[in-house]
Each structure stands twice: as structure tokens, then as C-alpha cells.
């Protein structure tokens, strides 16, 4: 099959991150599907994929093309399946061409653990022009579209974690000081802090210091400036440069504790199998907290971890510090480590999103 994926980059890198992963996984499937990825913000795309150029149409692999989605949009023949990521509205001229070709139209929705998602997944969306359009919801249960996961991802993770030299080389490439790398090799613990503005980052530093064990906190460049270059007797904070998707996965794999934000980073942190704190994208009327609570209810994490995540997302410094103190102490820490590993193993038993999507499209094309 030939897939068109339309991606409008709204903010940050979550939209293009999801679409680029999906494009690669469709192209790498056993059937080797052809994929055309339409992106409106090429410069943002270049931040996560260095091979992307600025030309209007380019081939990144033998079966992936990238089209710069401009106004007016380039005239191209639609594929068998057209994926509209996150209700981004493909150009009207392209929709007319889809009608002539008889393309299947998929509305790829945002990730949610809320119960209603199962009822709306794979439901048709009636179109006055006669096109067949369906909602496709990613999710955490077998009654949803599943999660993006490369076929050999967990094997890659295990191989990476088994070779300490790869971790040291990655950190060196990110200009982490040599004495910090040596400390990590000697048993210091590592946290990755990737959150939205306002996250109680200072509370995290104080809580890690209270463990009386050495910690290194890696912070992507430009985030959480209030804690950059903080040094306490047991905590070193190191700012690191922006990394591509593969580098981000490896940072997650090599960290003992991951603080992540948005949907794409959450899924990658889940596949790392390590304790994580999710900073969900903030919405009006605290709708995001309802989504967070639904996800926590499915997670199998200890109650104390759920309380920490709620405090973290409410940006409550005192409460976050109190709950961090609780979960970082033994035996609570061991319980969290075990629960995180179980959740990853459970999710890995389900088919991945790209597989579910191609199966659905093959039945409906």
C-alpha cells in the first residue's frame, strides 16, 4: 500500500515525532509500504532528523518521500491510504483527488487512556463527499490502535543496556564532564528531566539530595534554567544538547528515572521500562488531569507514584517534594522499578500501532 501522512507541526516536536516514527515503521514493515510524509514546518523536522533538506520533495529512503506542505499545496496523486494526523485537515484539492482515486481516509487521533476511546476507535466518520473516513485511536489496550513500537526495539534496548561502553560514549558525545561519566560508571544514578515550564524541578533536586546517594540530572538545553549548573553534595545537574529520536531513546534506556512530557516521549519512556514521571500537555479546565488519572488507573504503578505525578502536573512544589521523598526511598523505589518493568512487558504483548493500522487498512481498502 501507499500511505500519505499529513502532519502540521503545532508546537514542540510531538506531532512530527509521532508522524516520523509512523512513517518509518510503515516503510520498514514486512510488506515495505510506500510512504509520503507531508510536513508544513521542515525546519522543525530537521531538529529530529538531520537528513531532511529544504527542497519541496525529497526521498529519505527508497520508500519514504517527504513533501513540504505549503500553501497552495503541491499537486500529487494520493496514495491508497491518507492519514490525517491530529485533525490537521489535508488541502481541499488533495481531498478532491482522494475522492477520484477512492483513497481510504484515516484520522489518527491523540493518545488517551480514557475509557471512551475504545468505543470510538475504528468508527467511521461519514463524509458528504462519499469518501470513507475512520477514526483511529492509539491507546493502551487491545481494543484500541495500540502504541508505536519498532519490531526490534526492545531487543535494541536490551543490547544497549548490556554494553556500558555505549552509554559512556553517548554521554561523552553530549559533552557530559568526564568525572560525571566516571561516577555513573561507578554506580551513580541518572535522571533525565524533560518537562514543561513550571515543573517542580527544584523539588526534584532537593529530593534527590535527601537520598544521600549520588545522582546526575541531565536536562535538555534551554529547559529548566533555574536548576542548570546546580551542584549539591550528592546531585550534579548537567545541561545537554538536543538529540535526535535514536539518541533520545538511548538516554531513556540509560537513565534510572525519566521525567518526560507529551505523548511521544511518554511512549518512548514506557518502552525503556524504567520508573517515569509523565508531564502531560496542559489543557483548559484541567482536562489533562482527567486524562492523567485515567492513564494512572491503567498503569499498575504504586499509589504513591500516582500521587507524585498528580502533584508534578499541578506544579505543586511542596507536594511533589513530599511524594518524591516517599518514592525514592527503599523499599518504595524497588516497588516502582518492578511496576515499571511489568507495565512495559504487558504493553509489549499487544500488537503495535503500525501493525494494527496496516491490518485495518488492508481490510478496508
Amino acid at each position: 500500500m501507499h500511505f500519505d501522512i499529513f502532519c502540521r507541526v503545532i508546537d514542540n516536536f510531538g506531532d512530527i515525532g509521532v508522524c516520523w516514527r509512523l512513517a518509518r515503521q510503515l516503510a520498514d514493515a514486512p510488506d515495505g509500504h510506500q510512504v509520503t510524509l507531508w510536513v508544513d514546518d521542515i525546519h522543525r523536522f530537521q531538529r529530529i532528523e538531520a537528513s531532511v533538506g529544504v527542497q519541496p520533495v525529497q526521498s529519505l529512503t527508497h520508500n519514504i518521500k517527504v513533501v513540504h506542505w505549503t500553501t497552495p499545496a503541491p499537486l500529487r496523486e494520493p496514495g491508497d491510504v491518507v492519514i490525517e494526523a491530529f485533525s490537521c485537515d489535508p488541502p481541499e484539492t488533495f481531498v478532491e483527488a482522494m475522492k477520484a482515486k477512492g483513497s481510504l481516509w484515516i484520522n489518527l487521533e491523540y493518545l488517551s487512556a480514557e475509557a471512551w476511546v475504545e468505543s470510538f476507535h475504528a468508527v467511521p466518520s461519514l463524509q458528504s463527499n462519499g469518501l470513507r473516513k475512520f477514526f483511529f485511536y492509539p491507546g493502551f489496550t487491545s481494543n484500541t490502535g495500540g502504541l508505536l513500537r519498532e519490531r526490534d526495539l526492545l531487543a535494541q534496548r536490551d543490547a544497549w543496556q548490556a554494553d556500558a561502553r555505549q552509554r559512556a560514549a553517548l554521554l561523552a558525545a553530549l559533552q557530559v564532564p568526564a568525572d560525571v561519566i566516571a561516577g555513573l560508571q561507578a554506580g551513580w544514578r541518572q535522571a533525565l528531566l524533560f518537562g514543561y515550564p513550571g515543573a517542580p524541578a527544584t523539588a526534584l533536586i532537593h529530593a534527590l539530595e535527601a537520598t544521600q546517594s549520588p545522582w546526575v540530572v541531565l536536562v535538555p538545553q534551554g529547559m529548566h534554567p533555574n536548576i542548570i549548573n546546580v551542584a549539591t553534595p550528592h546531585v550534579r545537574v548537567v545541561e545537554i544538547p538536543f538529540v535526535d529520536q535514536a539518541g533520545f531513546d538511548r538516554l531513556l534506556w540509560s537513565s534510572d528515572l525519566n521525567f518526560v512530557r507529551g505523548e511521544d516521549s511518554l511512549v518512548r519512556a514506557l518502552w525503556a521500562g524504567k520508573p517515569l514521571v509523565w508531564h502531560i500537555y496542559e489543557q483548559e479546565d484541567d482536562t489533562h488531569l482527567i486524562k492523567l488519572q485515567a492513564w494512572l488507573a491503567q498503569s499498575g504503578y504504586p499509589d504513591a507514584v500516582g500521587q507524585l505525578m498528580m502533584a508534578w502536573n499541578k506544579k505543586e512544589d511542596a507536594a511533589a517534594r513530599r511524594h518524591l521523598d516517599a518514592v525514592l526511598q527503599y523499599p518504595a523505589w524497588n516497588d516502582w522499578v518492578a511496576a515499571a518493568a511489568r507495565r512495559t512487558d504487558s504493553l509489549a504483548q499487544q500488537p503495535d500501532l503500525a501493525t494494527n493500522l496496516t491490518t485495518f487498512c488492508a481490510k478496508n481498502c
Side-chain angles (χ1 to χ4, degrees):
M1 288 182 286
H2 184 177
F3 291 83
D4 282 282
I5 304 174
F6 281 84
C7 177
R8 193 178 297 282
V9 183
I10 304 301
D11 58 5
N12 301 310
F13 299 93
D15 306 86
I16 184 58
V18 168
C19 292
W20 180 225
R21 292 188 196 280
L22 176 59
R24 295 201 315 270
Q25 290 173 37
L26 290 172
D28 291 341
D31 293 334
H33 306 293
Q34 299 293 314
V35 181
T36 301
L37 175 59
W38 297 67
V39 183
D40 67 333
D41 190 339
I42 289 294
H43 296 292
R44 194 69 65 92
F45 189 11
Q46 289 173 320
R47 293 289 302 278
I48 65 169
E49 179 52 56
S51 65
V52 175
V54 296
Q55 55 266 47
V57 180
Q58 55 194 296
S59 297
L60 293 191
T61 70
H62 72 281
N63 53 352
I64 299 180
K65 285 185 172 62
V66 172
V67 175
H68 188 188
W69 180 7
T70 56
T71 303
L75 297 177
R76 296 183 63 86
E77 182 181 355
D80 306 297
V81 180
V82 177
I83 301 172
E84 171 191 358
F86 317 123
S87 303
C88 65
D89 296 325
E92 291 184 9
T93 54
F94 195 84
V95 173
E96 287 299 314
M98 290 165 56
K99 181 180 177 182
K101 184 179 176 65
S103 301
L104 179 66
W105 191 350
I106 300 293
N107 189 356
L108 180 65
E109 289 286 353
Y110 287 103
L111 175 66
S112 178
E114 294 172 281
W116 60 264
V117 166
E118 292 187 350
S119 299
F120 283 84
H121 172 61
V123 170
S125 172
L126 299 179
Q127 302 297 302
S128 60
N129 60 10
L131 275 169
R132 295 165 303 135
K133 185 177 183 181
F134 292 86
F135 293 105
F136 202 90
Y137 279 87
F140 303 91
T141 71
S142 59
N143 293 322
T144 67
L147 302 173
L148 287 170
R149 185 184 74 246
E150 295 82 353
R151 283 177 295 162
D152 59 348
L153 179 66
L154 300 190
Q156 287 185 29
R157 179 202 66 188
D158 294 343
W160 170 270
Q161 292 174 338
D163 186 353
R165 295 171 300 177
Q166 295 193 74
R167 179 194 192 190
L170 171 65
L171 296 176
L174 296 176
Q175 300 179 349
V176 175
D179 65 315
V180 172
I181 297 175
L184 289 167
Q185 291 176 313
W188 297 5
R189 286 187 285 179
Q190 176 179 306
L192 176 64
L193 179 56
F194 180 52
Y196 292 116
T202 303
L204 171 63
I205 302 303
H206 292 320
L208 294 177
E209 175 62 29
T211 67
Q212 298 293 295
S213 298
W215 279 88
V216 176
V217 181
L218 302 180
V219 183
Q221 199 168 40
M223 298 182 182
H224 311 295
N226 57 316
I227 65 167
I228 296 302
N229 299 320
V230 166
T232 70
H234 296 92
V235 180
R236 292 279 296 275
V237 179
V238 179
E239 190 174 41
I240 58 173
F242 197 89
V243 296
D244 61 12
Q245 289 187 326
F248 185 69
D249 279 339
R250 291 163 184 163
L251 281 173
L252 294 168
W253 298 344
S254 60
S255 295
D256 299 280
L257 174 59
N258 290 306
F259 291 77
V260 293
R261 71 185 206 185
E263 298 176 9
D264 182 51
S265 297
L266 167 67
V267 174
R268 306 315 286 190
L270 283 168
W271 298 135
K274 303 291 188 71
L276 69 91
V277 173
W278 182 24
H279 200 169
I280 193 171
Y281 188 82
E282 189 170 345
Q283 296 177 296
E284 293 182 359
D285 301 322
D286 289 340
T287 303
H288 60 294
L289 297 181
I290 298 173
K291 293 182 177 181
L292 176 61
Q293 192 61 58
W295 178 75
L296 287 169
Q298 290 185 357
S299 70
Y301 291 162
D303 290 343
V305 173
Q307 293 165 359
L308 163 60
M309 289 201 213
M310 293 301 292
W312 190 265
N313 279 273
K314 292 178 180 179
K315 304 174 184 177
E316 297 174 343
D317 288 69
R321 170 65 196 277
R322 184 170 65 254
H323 295 307
L324 279 163
D325 285 340
V327 299
L328 291 172
Q329 299 296 329
Y330 296 100
W333 172 254
N334 289 340
D335 293 340
W336 192 4
V337 169
R342 285 196 300 270
R343 184 56 175 157
T344 298
D345 291 343
S346 174
L347 291 171
Q349 301 306 307
Q350 300 177 22
D352 65 275
L353 188 147
T355 298
N356 286 332
L357 179 61
T358 53
T359 300
F360 178 83
C361 292
K363 290 179 180 178
N364 288 279
C365 275

